[in-house]
Amino acid sequence: MATETTLITGASSDIGCAIARSLLSRPDGPIVLAHSFASQERLLPLQAEFGSRLQLLESDFSQRSSVEAMAEKIASEHGSPAEIIHLPALRLTYERFTKFNWDRFETDMAVQVESAVILLQRFLPKMVKLPRARVLFVLSSVVHGVPPKFMSMYTMVKYMQLGLMRSLAAEYASTPVRINAISPSMVETRFLEDIADTAVQMSAAANPQGRNATTADLLGAVEFLLSPASDFIHGIDILIAAGSVC
């Protein structure tokens, strides 16, 4: 049987690297196509460790033509991925709504939502012909309960992703493709570098565990949703927040 292929978008992020390592560490793991934008150096240690099982892709997801070119490259060289894990995003910023930045919002919407539409329009028609396939969105706990203050742009984009996931889940429910999401609370990664340390510390203090999430806290849910154990699970969003959000 041919080795399956998994596409991870935003793979150079801390979460993306952790997921890639988790998949590559399995003896029967897939070939991982790891997307990044001008930050492939963070993936080079993984490539040195796992060789050709990790293949690097570079694309500027703020540009539609760049996403389309990457999709064409994947299709010509690999056919269709059996799994797509989607997690690209601009770094988190806190901003009052009165300072809503349209340019940043539209860029993040392109990176997080438009890129997903382009890739899934290209690959879902082929994924439905596979024995089993997976699409997994990495969302955020902001789509559960009352969202935090000063995050209107980020929250809106994540709700758009949630709407896309749920609408696709409804449309593809009768196919072999399982489409789901995870929504972690604040994860201590480089994604937080543009916000104040005080905000990170306050988030940790508000969590019942007294800490923010780590990338390792996400892997169990990711591995489950990619596994055959989740074949009858579709259109759900798993909240990973240690009880800080209900």
Side-chain angles (χ1 to χ4, degrees):
M1 180 180 296
T3 303
E4 291 185 343
T5 302
T6 297
L7 169 62
I8 304 176
T9 59
S12 59
S13 64
D14 293 317
I15 294 174
C17 287
I19 293 173
R21 174 172 290 282
S22 174
L23 295 175
L24 292 165
S25 296
R26 294 182 350 216
D28 60 343
I31 292 173
V32 174
L33 307 179
H35 155 261
S36 67
F37 173 54
S39 55
Q40 290 187 342
E41 66 276 1
R42 299 199 71 243
L43 294 163
L44 294 179
L46 282 174
Q47 190 177 55
E49 183 176 352
F50 294 101
S52 61
R53 289 185 56 209
L54 178 70
Q55 300 188 21
L56 305 184
L57 300 168
E58 187 168 325
S59 175
D60 179 359
F61 273 20
S62 69
Q63 302 296 320
R64 183 180 303 177
S65 59
S66 184
V67 183
E68 291 171 343
M70 190 186 83
E72 178 61 31
K73 177 179 175 65
I74 293 170
S76 64
E77 296 181 2
H78 303 279
S80 174
E83 300 168 339
I84 297 177
I85 304 169
H86 188 68
L87 55 101
L90 300 187
R91 285 183 180 174
L92 185 64
T93 60
Y94 283 0
E95 195 70 83
R96 291 183 181 275
F97 180 69
T98 53
K99 296 183 178 180
F100 194 99
N101 184 323
W102 275 107
D103 288 340
R104 181 180 177 84
F105 174 70
E106 289 173 354
T107 299
D108 207 14
M109 185 168 59
V111 168
Q112 295 201 48
V113 182
E114 185 178 13
S115 65
V117 172
I118 293 169
L119 293 170
L120 293 172
Q121 279 187 323
R122 180 62 182 267
F123 293 119
L124 274 175
K126 297 180 179 181
M127 293 172 76
V128 299
K129 299 176 183 179
L130 299 173
R132 58 186 302 276
R134 294 288 190 271
V135 175
L136 179 62
F137 290 87
V138 178
L139 304 182
S140 166
S141 63
V142 300
V143 301
H144 293 263
V146 180
K149 296 177 181 179
F150 313 128
M151 293 176 59
S152 57
M153 290 185 288
Y154 180 77
T155 299
M156 289 167 67
V157 171
K158 286 303 182 185
Y159 266 104
M160 281 190 280
Q161 280 193 323
L162 177 62
L164 175 61
M165 184 277 286
R166 286 180 170 168
S167 61
L168 290 176
E171 186 169 343
Y172 286 86
S174 63
T175 76
V177 185
R178 302 295 88 191
I179 303 172
N180 295 294
I182 62 170
S183 281
S185 57
M186 185 175 284
V187 185
E188 295 211 5
T189 67
R190 294 181 310 130
F191 183 64
L192 307 179
E193 287 182 351
D194 292 342
I195 66 173
D197 288 343
T198 302
V200 178
Q201 294 166 10
M202 289 176 63
S203 173
N207 190 287
Q209 295 293 314
R211 65 175 179 87
N212 291 314
T214 68
T215 57
D217 293 318
L218 279 57
L219 296 180
V222 171
E223 292 166 0
F224 170 67
L225 290 173
L226 296 180
S227 75
S230 66
D231 281 350
F232 208 65
I233 295 176
H234 187 62
I236 63 99
D237 177 24
I238 296 179
L239 177 62
I240 305 172
S244 60
V245 183
C246 299

mmCIF file of all heavy atoms in Angstrom, residues 7-52:
data_model
loop_
_atom_site.group_PDB
_atom_site.id
_atom_site.type_symbol
_atom_site.label_atom_id
_atom_site.label_comp_id
_atom_site.label_asym_id
_atom_site.label_seq_id
_atom_site.Cartn_x
_atom_site.Cartn_y
_atom_site.Cartn_z
ATOM 1 N N LEU A 7 -0.813 16.919 4.652
ATOM 2 C CA LEU A 7 -0.424 18.315 4.457
ATOM 3 C C LEU A 7 -0.687 19.078 5.745
ATOM 4 O O LEU A 7 -1.804 19.072 6.266
ATOM 5 C CB LEU A 7 -1.235 18.933 3.315
ATOM 6 C CG LEU A 7 -1.126 20.458 3.147
ATOM 7 C CD1 LEU A 7 0.311 20.866 2.822
ATOM 8 C CD2 LEU A 7 -2.090 20.942 2.066
ATOM 9 N N ILE A 8 0.350 19.729 6.269
ATOM 10 C CA ILE A 8 0.203 20.611 7.430
ATOM 11 C C ILE A 8 0.481 22.030 6.969
ATOM 12 O O ILE A 8 1.609 22.354 6.575
ATOM 13 C CB ILE A 8 1.170 20.233 8.572
ATOM 14 C CG1 ILE A 8 0.989 18.772 8.992
ATOM 15 C CG2 ILE A 8 0.942 21.155 9.774
ATOM 16 C CD1 ILE A 8 1.974 18.324 10.055
ATOM 17 N N THR A 9 -0.525 22.882 7.006
ATOM 18 C CA THR A 9 -0.317 24.284 6.674
ATOM 19 C C THR A 9 0.022 25.044 7.956
ATOM 20 O O THR A 9 -0.540 24.789 9.008
ATOM 21 C CB THR A 9 -1.564 24.879 6.015
ATOM 22 O OG1 THR A 9 -2.683 24.753 6.906
ATOM 23 C CG2 THR A 9 -1.885 24.166 4.710
ATOM 24 N N GLY A 10 0.962 25.971 7.846
ATOM 25 C CA GLY A 10 1.455 26.636 9.051
ATOM 26 C C GLY A 10 2.347 25.730 9.872
ATOM 27 O O GLY A 10 2.439 25.854 11.095
ATOM 28 N N ALA A 11 3.045 24.828 9.196
ATOM 29 C CA ALA A 11 3.805 23.785 9.893
ATOM 30 C C ALA A 11 5.016 24.310 10.637
ATOM 31 O O ALA A 11 5.535 23.634 11.535
ATOM 32 C CB ALA A 11 4.243 22.709 8.898
ATOM 33 N N SER A 12 5.499 25.507 10.300
ATOM 34 C CA SER A 12 6.681 26.027 10.993
ATOM 35 C C SER A 12 6.348 26.650 12.344
ATOM 36 O O SER A 12 7.240 27.042 13.082
ATOM 37 C CB SER A 12 7.395 27.064 10.116
ATOM 38 O OG SER A 12 6.525 28.140 9.812
ATOM 39 N N SER A 13 5.057 26.736 12.674
ATOM 40 C CA SER A 13 4.663 27.190 14.010
ATOM 41 C C SER A 13 5.033 26.124 15.039
ATOM 42 O O SER A 13 5.315 24.970 14.691
ATOM 43 C CB SER A 13 3.154 27.434 14.052
ATOM 44 O OG SER A 13 2.452 26.219 13.844
ATOM 45 N N ASP A 14 5.037 26.503 16.305
ATOM 46 C CA ASP A 14 5.343 25.523 17.356
ATOM 47 C C ASP A 14 4.346 24.371 17.350
ATOM 48 O O ASP A 14 4.727 23.207 17.508
ATOM 49 C CB ASP A 14 5.344 26.204 18.725
ATOM 50 C CG ASP A 14 6.492 27.192 18.870
ATOM 51 O OD1 ASP A 14 7.610 26.868 18.453
ATOM 52 O OD2 ASP A 14 6.259 28.292 19.397
ATOM 53 N N ILE A 15 3.067 24.688 17.166
ATOM 54 C CA ILE A 15 2.049 23.636 17.113
ATOM 55 C C ILE A 15 2.260 22.774 15.874
ATOM 56 O O ILE A 15 2.190 21.539 15.937
ATOM 57 C CB ILE A 15 0.637 24.243 17.134
ATOM 58 C CG1 ILE A 15 0.369 24.940 18.468
ATOM 59 C CG2 ILE A 15 -0.418 23.168 16.889
ATOM 60 C CD1 ILE A 15 -0.952 25.697 18.519
ATOM 61 N N GLY A 16 2.537 23.413 14.735
ATOM 62 C CA GLY A 16 2.760 22.650 13.509
ATOM 63 C C GLY A 16 3.947 21.717 13.625
ATOM 64 O O GLY A 16 3.873 20.547 13.201
ATOM 65 N N CYS A 17 5.051 22.197 14.204
ATOM 66 C CA CYS A 17 6.227 21.345 14.387
ATOM 67 C C CYS A 17 5.923 20.167 15.306
ATOM 68 O O CYS A 17 6.375 19.039 15.061
ATOM 69 C CB CYS A 17 7.380 22.165 14.951
ATOM 70 S SG CYS A 17 8.155 23.302 13.776
ATOM 71 N N ALA A 18 5.153 20.417 16.362
ATOM 72 C CA ALA A 18 4.811 19.340 17.301
ATOM 73 C C ALA A 18 3.951 18.285 16.627
ATOM 74 O O ALA A 18 4.146 17.072 16.834
ATOM 75 C CB ALA A 18 4.097 19.920 18.516
ATOM 76 N N ILE A 19 2.987 18.709 15.820
ATOM 77 C CA ILE A 19 2.132 17.752 15.114
ATOM 78 C C ILE A 19 2.950 16.971 14.093
ATOM 79 O O ILE A 19 2.806 15.750 13.967
ATOM 80 C CB ILE A 19 0.949 18.474 14.439
ATOM 81 C CG1 ILE A 19 0.011 19.062 15.499
ATOM 82 C CG2 ILE A 19 0.183 17.526 13.529
ATOM 83 C CD1 ILE A 19 -1.096 19.931 14.924
ATOM 84 N N ALA A 20 3.815 17.672 13.363
ATOM 85 C CA ALA A 20 4.652 16.986 12.375
ATOM 86 C C ALA A 20 5.521 15.927 13.034
ATOM 87 O O ALA A 20 5.622 14.791 12.555
ATOM 88 C CB ALA A 20 5.520 17.999 11.638
ATOM 89 N N ARG A 21 6.141 16.265 14.156
ATOM 90 C CA ARG A 21 6.975 15.291 14.864
ATOM 91 C C ARG A 21 6.142 14.096 15.330
ATOM 92 O O ARG A 21 6.592 12.945 15.234
ATOM 93 C CB ARG A 21 7.674 15.944 16.052
ATOM 94 C CG ARG A 21 8.458 14.958 16.921
ATOM 95 C CD ARG A 21 9.286 15.637 17.974
ATOM 96 N NE ARG A 21 10.411 16.349 17.382
ATOM 97 C CZ ARG A 21 11.526 15.754 16.971
ATOM 98 N NH1 ARG A 21 11.659 14.431 17.087
ATOM 99 N NH2 ARG A 21 12.511 16.459 16.473
ATOM 100 N N SER A 22 4.955 14.357 15.830
ATOM 101 C CA SER A 22 4.088 13.277 16.292
ATOM 102 C C SER A 22 3.770 12.308 15.151
ATOM 103 O O SER A 22 3.841 11.083 15.319
ATOM 104 C CB SER A 22 2.793 13.856 16.870
ATOM 105 O OG SER A 22 1.874 12.835 17.196
ATOM 106 N N LEU A 23 3.439 12.839 13.981
ATOM 107 C CA LEU A 23 3.110 11.987 12.842
ATOM 108 C C LEU A 23 4.330 11.239 12.325
ATOM 109 O O LEU A 23 4.269 10.043 12.012
ATOM 110 C CB LEU A 23 2.512 12.839 11.722
ATOM 111 C CG LEU A 23 1.169 13.514 12.003
ATOM 112 C CD1 LEU A 23 0.778 14.414 10.840
ATOM 113 C CD2 LEU A 23 0.090 12.477 12.249
ATOM 114 N N LEU A 24 5.448 11.938 12.232
ATOM 115 C CA LEU A 24 6.658 11.321 11.683
ATOM 116 C C LEU A 24 7.248 10.275 12.616
ATOM 117 O O LEU A 24 7.961 9.363 12.165
ATOM 118 C CB LEU A 24 7.700 12.409 11.400
ATOM 119 C CG LEU A 24 7.358 13.374 10.264
ATOM 120 C CD1 LEU A 24 8.249 14.607 10.319
ATOM 121 C CD2 LEU A 24 7.478 12.679 8.910
ATOM 122 N N SER A 25 6.966 10.371 13.901
ATOM 123 C CA SER A 25 7.514 9.426 14.874
ATOM 124 C C SER A 25 6.812 8.080 14.840
ATOM 125 O O SER A 25 7.318 7.107 15.403
ATOM 126 C CB SER A 25 7.418 10.020 16.286
ATOM 127 O OG SER A 25 8.221 11.177 16.393
ATOM 128 N N ARG A 26 5.662 8.019 14.180
ATOM 129 C CA ARG A 26 4.964 6.736 14.071
ATOM 130 C C ARG A 26 5.669 5.858 13.043
ATOM 131 O O ARG A 26 5.987 6.321 11.950
ATOM 132 C CB ARG A 26 3.509 6.953 13.647
ATOM 133 C CG ARG A 26 2.684 7.681 14.683
ATOM 134 C CD ARG A 26 1.232 7.867 14.302
ATOM 135 N NE ARG A 26 0.870 7.546 12.943
ATOM 136 C CZ ARG A 26 -0.047 8.224 12.247
ATOM 137 N NH1 ARG A 26 -0.634 9.278 12.771
ATOM 138 N NH2 ARG A 26 -0.361 7.862 11.024
ATOM 139 N N PRO A 27 5.878 4.574 13.348
ATOM 140 C CA PRO A 27 6.539 3.696 12.379
ATOM 141 C C PRO A 27 5.793 3.623 11.046
ATOM 142 O O PRO A 27 6.407 3.494 9.990
ATOM 143 C CB PRO A 27 6.544 2.334 13.086
ATOM 144 C CG PRO A 27 6.443 2.656 14.539
ATOM 145 C CD PRO A 27 5.603 3.891 14.630
ATOM 146 N N ASP A 28 4.469 3.710 11.110
ATOM 147 C CA ASP A 28 3.657 3.640 9.897
ATOM 148 C C ASP A 28 3.143 5.019 9.496
ATOM 149 O O ASP A 28 2.149 5.151 8.797
ATOM 150 C CB ASP A 28 2.463 2.709 10.097
ATOM 151 C CG ASP A 28 1.553 3.182 11.239
ATOM 152 O OD1 ASP A 28 2.005 4.008 12.056
ATOM 153 O OD2 ASP A 28 0.399 2.717 11.314
ATOM 154 N N GLY A 29 3.836 6.048 9.944
ATOM 155 C CA GLY A 29 3.375 7.413 9.727
ATOM 156 C C GLY A 29 3.431 7.835 8.272
ATOM 157 O O GLY A 29 4.083 7.209 7.432
ATOM 158 N N PRO A 30 2.756 8.940 7.950
ATOM 159 C CA PRO A 30 2.671 9.406 6.563
ATOM 160 C C PRO A 30 3.894 10.193 6.129
ATOM 161 O O PRO A 30 4.748 10.542 6.938
ATOM 162 C CB PRO A 30 1.442 10.334 6.617
ATOM 163 C CG PRO A 30 1.535 10.932 8.001
ATOM 164 C CD PRO A 30 2.028 9.810 8.887
ATOM 165 N N ILE A 31 3.966 10.469 4.851
ATOM 166 C CA ILE A 31 4.831 11.524 4.356
ATOM 167 C C ILE A 31 4.165 12.842 4.725
ATOM 168 O O ILE A 31 2.970 13.038 4.502
ATOM 169 C CB ILE A 31 5.010 11.419 2.828
ATOM 170 C CG1 ILE A 31 5.804 10.162 2.476
ATOM 171 C CG2 ILE A 31 5.697 12.659 2.273
ATOM 172 C CD1 ILE A 31 5.877 9.888 0.989
ATOM 173 N N VAL A 32 4.921 13.745 5.326
ATOM 174 C CA VAL A 32 4.367 15.021 5.773
ATOM 175 C C VAL A 32 4.823 16.132 4.836
ATOM 176 O O VAL A 32 6.024 16.335 4.643
ATOM 177 C CB VAL A 32 4.784 15.343 7.222
ATOM 178 C CG1 VAL A 32 4.323 16.749 7.613
ATOM 179 C CG2 VAL A 32 4.198 14.307 8.174
ATOM 180 N N LEU A 33 3.854 16.818 4.260
ATOM 181 C CA LEU A 33 4.128 18.003 3.455
ATOM 182 C C LEU A 33 3.958 19.200 4.382
ATOM 183 O O LEU A 33 2.848 19.486 4.841
ATOM 184 C CB LEU A 33 3.156 18.092 2.278
ATOM 185 C CG LEU A 33 3.052 16.855 1.386
ATOM 186 C CD1 LEU A 33 2.029 17.083 0.277
ATOM 187 C CD2 LEU A 33 4.408 16.481 0.806
ATOM 188 N N ALA A 34 5.043 19.878 4.687
ATOM 189 C CA ALA A 34 5.041 20.920 5.707
ATOM 190 C C ALA A 34 5.119 22.288 5.058
ATOM 191 O O ALA A 34 6.154 22.658 4.489
ATOM 192 C CB ALA A 34 6.205 20.709 6.674
ATOM 193 N N HIS A 35 4.033 23.049 5.149
ATOM 194 C CA HIS A 35 4.002 24.390 4.573
ATOM 195 C C HIS A 35 4.534 25.418 5.559
ATOM 196 O O HIS A 35 4.269 25.364 6.760
ATOM 197 C CB HIS A 35 2.567 24.768 4.199
ATOM 198 C CG HIS A 35 2.350 26.260 4.181
ATOM 199 N ND1 HIS A 35 1.772 26.935 5.243
ATOM 200 C CD2 HIS A 35 2.687 27.206 3.271
ATOM 201 C CE1 HIS A 35 1.734 28.221 4.977
ATOM 202 N NE2 HIS A 35 2.279 28.418 3.792
ATOM 203 N N SER A 36 5.266 26.374 5.033
ATOM 204 C CA SER A 36 5.695 27.524 5.825
ATOM 205 C C SER A 36 5.807 28.718 4.893
ATOM 206 O O SER A 36 5.751 28.583 3.668
ATOM 207 C CB SER A 36 7.040 27.265 6.500
ATOM 208 O OG SER A 36 8.065 27.157 5.512
ATOM 209 N N PHE A 37 5.952 29.890 5.488
ATOM 210 C CA PHE A 37 6.207 31.096 4.710
ATOM 211 C C PHE A 37 7.473 31.750 5.245
ATOM 212 O O PHE A 37 7.477 32.335 6.327
ATOM 213 C CB PHE A 37 5.040 32.072 4.781
ATOM 214 C CG PHE A 37 5.334 33.402 4.129
ATOM 215 C CD1 PHE A 37 5.772 33.463 2.813
ATOM 216 C CD2 PHE A 37 5.197 34.585 4.834
ATOM 217 C CE1 PHE A 37 6.069 34.669 2.212
ATOM 218 C CE2 PHE A 37 5.496 35.812 4.241
ATOM 219 C CZ PHE A 37 5.926 35.850 2.923
ATOM 220 N N ALA A 38 8.554 31.604 4.520
ATOM 221 C CA ALA A 38 9.837 32.249 4.839
ATOM 222 C C ALA A 38 10.363 31.886 6.224
ATOM 223 O O ALA A 38 11.062 32.673 6.859
ATOM 224 C CB ALA A 38 9.705 33.764 4.716
ATOM 225 N N SER A 39 10.038 30.710 6.714
ATOM 226 C CA SER A 39 10.551 30.298 8.033
ATOM 227 C C SER A 39 10.839 28.800 8.062
ATOM 228 O O SER A 39 10.592 28.137 9.054
ATOM 229 C CB SER A 39 9.556 30.671 9.140
ATOM 230 O OG SER A 39 8.282 30.131 8.879
ATOM 231 N N GLN A 40 11.356 28.291 6.949
ATOM 232 C CA GLN A 40 11.605 26.860 6.856
ATOM 233 C C GLN A 40 12.716 26.393 7.780
ATOM 234 O O GLN A 40 12.810 25.194 8.082
ATOM 235 C CB GLN A 40 11.939 26.479 5.407
ATOM 236 C CG GLN A 40 10.763 26.574 4.460
ATOM 237 C CD GLN A 40 11.095 26.016 3.085
ATOM 238 O OE1 GLN A 40 12.261 25.861 2.722
ATOM 239 N NE2 GLN A 40 10.077 25.711 2.310
ATOM 240 N N GLU A 41 13.540 27.309 8.273
ATOM 241 C CA GLU A 41 14.659 26.885 9.127
ATOM 242 C C GLU A 41 14.173 26.164 10.382
ATOM 243 O O GLU A 41 14.885 25.323 10.931
ATOM 244 C CB GLU A 41 15.530 28.084 9.506
ATOM 245 C CG GLU A 41 14.868 29.118 10.399
ATOM 246 C CD GLU A 41 14.041 30.134 9.646
ATOM 247 O OE1 GLU A 41 13.964 30.030 8.398
ATOM 248 O OE2 GLU A 41 13.463 31.022 10.300
ATOM 249 N N ARG A 42 12.966 26.454 10.844
ATOM 250 C CA ARG A 42 12.451 25.791 12.036
ATOM 251 C C ARG A 42 12.099 24.337 11.748
ATOM 252 O O ARG A 42 11.990 23.528 12.664
ATOM 253 C CB ARG A 42 11.217 26.521 12.572
ATOM 254 C CG ARG A 42 11.498 27.958 12.978
ATOM 255 C CD ARG A 42 10.446 28.507 13.904
ATOM 256 N NE ARG A 42 10.526 27.893 15.213
ATOM 257 C CZ ARG A 42 9.572 27.154 15.770
ATOM 258 N NH1 ARG A 42 8.467 26.901 15.102
ATOM 259 N NH2 ARG A 42 9.718 26.648 16.969
ATOM 260 N N LEU A 43 11.939 23.992 10.474
ATOM 261 C CA LEU A 43 11.598 22.629 10.090
ATOM 262 C C LEU A 43 12.826 21.808 9.691
ATOM 263 O O LEU A 43 12.731 20.589 9.559
ATOM 264 C CB LEU A 43 10.600 22.646 8.926
ATOM 265 C CG LEU A 43 9.224 23.220 9.259
ATOM 266 C CD1 LEU A 43 8.472 23.574 7.974
ATOM 267 C CD2 LEU A 43 8.409 22.231 10.083
ATOM 268 N N LEU A 44 13.955 22.469 9.527
ATOM 269 C CA LEU A 44 15.155 21.764 9.056
ATOM 270 C C LEU A 44 15.637 20.672 10.020
ATOM 271 O O LEU A 44 16.070 19.605 9.567
ATOM 272 C CB LEU A 44 16.274 22.767 8.770
ATOM 273 C CG LEU A 44 16.002 23.733 7.606
ATOM 274 C CD1 LEU A 44 17.178 24.696 7.428
ATOM 275 C CD2 LEU A 44 15.733 22.967 6.315
ATOM 276 N N PRO A 45 15.592 20.888 11.352
ATOM 277 C CA PRO A 45 15.986 19.782 12.241
ATOM 278 C C PRO A 45 15.103 18.545 12.077
ATOM 279 O O PRO A 45 15.608 17.414 12.131
ATOM 280 C CB PRO A 45 15.826 20.385 13.641
ATOM 281 C CG PRO A 45 15.994 21.851 13.440
ATOM 282 C CD PRO A 45 15.354 22.135 12.117
ATOM 283 N N LEU A 46 13.805 18.749 11.857
ATOM 284 C CA LEU A 46 12.912 17.613 11.623
ATOM 285 C C LEU A 46 13.262 16.912 10.308
ATOM 286 O O LEU A 46 13.253 15.685 10.228
ATOM 287 C CB LEU A 46 11.458 18.072 11.580
ATOM 288 C CG LEU A 46 10.777 18.365 12.913
ATOM 289 C CD1 LEU A 46 9.390 18.943 12.685
ATOM 290 C CD2 LEU A 46 10.686 17.099 13.763
ATOM 291 N N GLN A 47 13.581 17.703 9.287
ATOM 292 C CA GLN A 47 13.938 17.097 8.008
ATOM 293 C C GLN A 47 15.244 16.319 8.124
ATOM 294 O O GLN A 47 15.401 15.238 7.533
ATOM 295 C CB GLN A 47 14.054 18.171 6.934
ATOM 296 C CG GLN A 47 14.186 17.586 5.528
ATOM 297 C CD GLN A 47 14.229 18.674 4.483
ATOM 298 O OE1 GLN A 47 15.052 19.588 4.540
ATOM 299 N NE2 GLN A 47 13.340 18.588 3.502
ATOM 300 N N ALA A 48 16.198 16.847 8.893
ATOM 301 C CA ALA A 48 17.451 16.135 9.099
ATOM 302 C C ALA A 48 17.220 14.817 9.831
ATOM 303 O O ALA A 48 17.905 13.812 9.575
ATOM 304 C CB ALA A 48 18.426 17.011 9.881
ATOM 305 N N GLU A 49 16.244 14.802 10.734
ATOM 306 C CA GLU A 49 15.959 13.599 11.517
ATOM 307 C C GLU A 49 15.160 12.562 10.732
ATOM 308 O O GLU A 49 15.425 11.360 10.836
ATOM 309 C CB GLU A 49 15.190 13.989 12.778
ATOM 310 C CG GLU A 49 14.891 12.824 13.716
ATOM 311 C CD GLU A 49 14.214 13.265 15.002
ATOM 312 O OE1 GLU A 49 14.101 14.497 15.236
ATOM 313 O OE2 GLU A 49 13.802 12.381 15.776
ATOM 314 N N PHE A 50 14.200 13.026 9.931
ATOM 315 C CA PHE A 50 13.269 12.091 9.284
ATOM 316 C C PHE A 50 13.453 12.000 7.775
ATOM 317 O O PHE A 50 12.767 11.214 7.114
ATOM 318 C CB PHE A 50 11.824 12.480 9.602
ATOM 319 C CG PHE A 50 11.472 12.331 11.053
ATOM 320 C CD1 PHE A 50 11.441 13.433 11.890
ATOM 321 C CD2 PHE A 50 11.200 11.078 11.591
ATOM 322 C CE1 PHE A 50 11.126 13.304 13.241
ATOM 323 C CE2 PHE A 50 10.878 10.933 12.939
ATOM 324 C CZ PHE A 50 10.847 12.049 13.766
ATOM 325 N N GLY A 51 14.374 12.776 7.232
ATOM 326 C CA GLY A 51 14.707 12.660 5.818
ATOM 327 C C GLY A 51 13.557 13.000 4.897
ATOM 328 O O GLY A 51 12.790 13.932 5.133
ATOM 329 N N SER A 52 13.413 12.215 3.837
ATOM 330 C CA SER A 52 12.445 12.515 2.786
ATOM 331 C C SER A 52 10.998 12.334 3.231
ATOM 332 O O SER A 52 10.083 12.701 2.495
ATOM 333 C CB SER A 52 12.708 11.634 1.562
ATOM 334 O OG SER A 52 12.578 10.259 1.894
#
